[in-house]
Amino acid sequence: MIFAPRNRTVASAGYLAYQNVSTGAPDSGWLVLTESFPLPLGEENAKLAFEIPKGEQTDMPLSDQATGELRAAQEFFNRSTRNLTEALSTFAPAEGSMTTAQQVAHVAQTIDWFVEGAFRPEGFDMNFEEHAKAIQAYTSLAAAREWLDKSFAKAIAITSTKSDADLMAPLPEGPVMGGMPRKAIYGAITDHTAHHRGVLTVHARLNSVVPPMPYMDM
């Protein structure tokens, strides 16, 4: 999602611009959405403005869009989980569920898994038993956070080298988004990361820790 100031077009082909009229001012700004985002405002607050004419479009490389998604996912995750302390590393809300450290390690592992699987001929590694063993070894939240930082950094570095053709190439056939364009993994990473930061919010609340709002400092 990109907020563009007035008189500035930052949309690529196929994007639609929506005018936010909640303030009553028709030129209050444009909310530019990709095909993966629904219109977040009710009909009373938003209206379809126009489809951006092709000549007015500023094409944003798919790699820039994808790395932007990754950075946003990292920022939201880190902000909403920052009040979790090392003392809560081994906390689990129920027997058999992942601990706080394991939740974070799982997020890191999944980012690596998506990026690796998308860009290698053999596709995704479906040996989930081995993946689980790697996660179970984590007993330190600090160590899990370190892995997560490295995973985001690696994903951003790899993605930034990819052309639009690379990112539109189909994923290997198989049960994980087989045949979809590679760029689909970034939405999946965002969704998966958001799911687990939500789980960690529960971990925080169960320990009388107030989780910050993920999207901005309040």
Side-chain angles (χ1 to χ4, degrees):
M1 229 183 296
I2 305 165
F3 287 92
R6 195 175 159 211
N7 298 328
R8 211 173 133 216
T9 300
V10 288
S12 59
Y15 280 33
L16 296 177
Y18 291 84
Q19 187 175 14
N20 182 345
V21 294
S22 59
T23 63
D27 60 349
S28 57
W30 302 103
L31 176 60
V32 180
L33 306 175
T34 74
E35 67 276 8
S36 63
F37 285 99
L39 179 63
L41 302 173
E43 285 187 14
E44 71 279 6
N45 289 330
K47 65 180 181 180
L48 176 63
F50 57 85
E51 184 166 2
I52 299 169
K54 197 164 185 64
E56 296 180 16
Q57 292 167 357
T58 301
D59 289 330
M60 177 184 292
L62 293 178
S63 60
D64 287 355
Q65 296 177 36
T67 56
E69 285 190 64
L70 290 168
R71 289 189 176 95
Q74 182 178 23
E75 178 185 351
F76 300 157
F77 187 92
N78 286 345
R79 185 180 288 118
S80 67
T81 64
R82 71 186 177 197
N83 288 355
L84 292 167
T85 64
E86 187 69 10
L88 296 176
S89 294
T90 58
F91 170 78
E95 185 177 353
S97 63
M98 285 191 286
T99 67
T100 300
Q102 289 166 355
Q103 290 280 349
V104 176
H106 172 67
V107 172
Q109 183 187 61
T110 303
I111 294 168
D112 293 342
W113 181 81
F114 267 119
V115 174
E116 181 182 80
F119 295 106
R120 65 177 193 171
E122 59 268 40
F124 297 100
D125 180 356
M126 306 298 285
N127 191 345
F128 295 116
E129 184 176 345
E130 288 301 313
H131 301 332
K133 288 179 182 178
I135 295 305
Q136 289 163 8
Y138 271 77
T139 59
S140 166
L141 179 57
R145 288 190 190 278
E146 184 178 352
W147 184 4
L148 183 61
D149 287 344
K150 290 178 180 178
S151 294
F152 271 117
K154 182 178 179 181
I156 290 168
I158 290 172
T159 302
S160 66
T161 68
K162 302 302 180 184
S163 67
D164 282 10
D166 291 331
L167 293 172
M168 287 302 297
L171 290 165
E173 290 300 329
V176 182
M177 300 186 292
M180 292 181 67
R182 284 170 170 160
K183 69 172 187 172
I185 69 167
Y186 300 102
I189 289 171
T190 295
D191 288 347
H192 184 261
T193 303
H195 165 72
H196 285 281
R197 64 175 158 82
V199 172
L200 288 165
T201 295
V202 176
H203 283 226
R205 291 291 186 183
L206 289 173
N207 287 277
S208 301
V209 174
V210 178
M213 182 179 179
Y215 307 111
M216 64 185 74
D217 290 320
M218 300 292 288

